[in-house]
Amino acid sequence: MKSVAALATLVGSAAAFAPSGVTQTSSSLNAMPDRLWDTMVDKTERSAAIPFLPRPANLDGTMVGDQGFDPFYLSSIPKNFAGFIQPPQWEETEGIPTLYWMREAELKHGRVCMLAWFGWLAADGAFGAPLRFPGAIYSVENIPTSYEAHNILVDQGSMGFMLLAIGFIEVCCAAVLVQVSKGESDREAGDFNLDPLQFLKDKSEEEVNTMKLKELNNGRLAMLAFAGVSTQAALGDATHAFPYF
């Protein structure tokens, strides 16, 4: 009787090593989904800006200003950015591709920083006399430097109008992007048909692209410049005023 029990125990233990378990494990491994990384890069090409990295899938050089610089592969994120301006449950839309949203954001931030850098230095007198709005509350006596302007103007209440103006502009921009997400507009990213001086009138496509590239490059430089001047001005009391050292 003891021999029969021992034999049954051995048979049960051996069953644990049966091939069926290996087959099941192999099947589960084969069923694993493809890596998202494989869709985000082109492994057959190197990045033009960072040659030791593969090229981001969406940066193929066809877009104006595309230098291939995207070390974090943000341009390859598969996301519909229309949800940031309109909840998807409201209605079905074609959506806004990642690269379109990124270019829209780059142009907006670049344009803002070109104005901001010039305004910061002009208010501090970098181009001669300080350039200020008329009125005693905006004078150098009340607002000594651009670095101190924000907190002083918030306390004065002057920033309320700016907040309303920027809010209105953002609502208008969002309305345009909703049209793009619905497929009702073929507008290029960042294009507001604003050309009061007719710089692009009767220009060839190559000339228009050259102007677009100039705006992009100046905007990118301005983003770095504004970050630099605001950081330098904040280093200490001695660096608040122009020339910030």
Side-chain angles (χ1 to χ4, degrees), residues 154-179:
V154 168
D155 292 338
Q156 290 177 352
S158 301
M159 295 292 281
F161 173 76
M162 181 178 289
L163 179 62
L164 290 175
I166 293 175
F168 175 76
I169 294 172
E170 287 297 320
V171 169
C172 294
C173 293
V176 173
L177 292 176
V178 168
Q179 291 180 329

Side-chain angles (χ1 to χ4, degrees), residues 3 7 9 14 25 27 33 46-47 52 57 66 84 135 137 190 199 240:
S3 299
L7 181 60
T9 302
T25 303
S27 300
R46 298 283 96 185
S47 167
F52 57 85
D66 178 5
F84 283 103
I137 62 172
F199 284 122
H240 290 348

Side-chain angles (χ1 to χ4, degrees), residues 63-65 81 95-109 111 173 176-181 185-194 200 208-209 211-213 215-216 220:
M63 180 175 279
V64 175
F81 283 86
I96 298 177
T98 300
L99 199 57
Y100 186 100
W101 184 269
M102 297 290 183
R103 174 50 59 89
E104 182 83 19
E106 180 181 33
L107 283 170
K108 177 179 288 187
H109 285 84
R111 290 163 178 168
C173 293
V176 173
L177 292 176
V178 168
Q179 291 180 329
V180 172
S181 70
S185 172
D186 59 355
R187 161 191 180 270
E188 289 188 29
D191 184 7
F192 292 97
N193 291 321
L194 183 64
L200 302 182
V208 170
N209 288 339
M211 295 295 288
K212 290 179 179 179
L213 181 60
E215 180 186 31
L216 275 168
R220 290 165 178 170

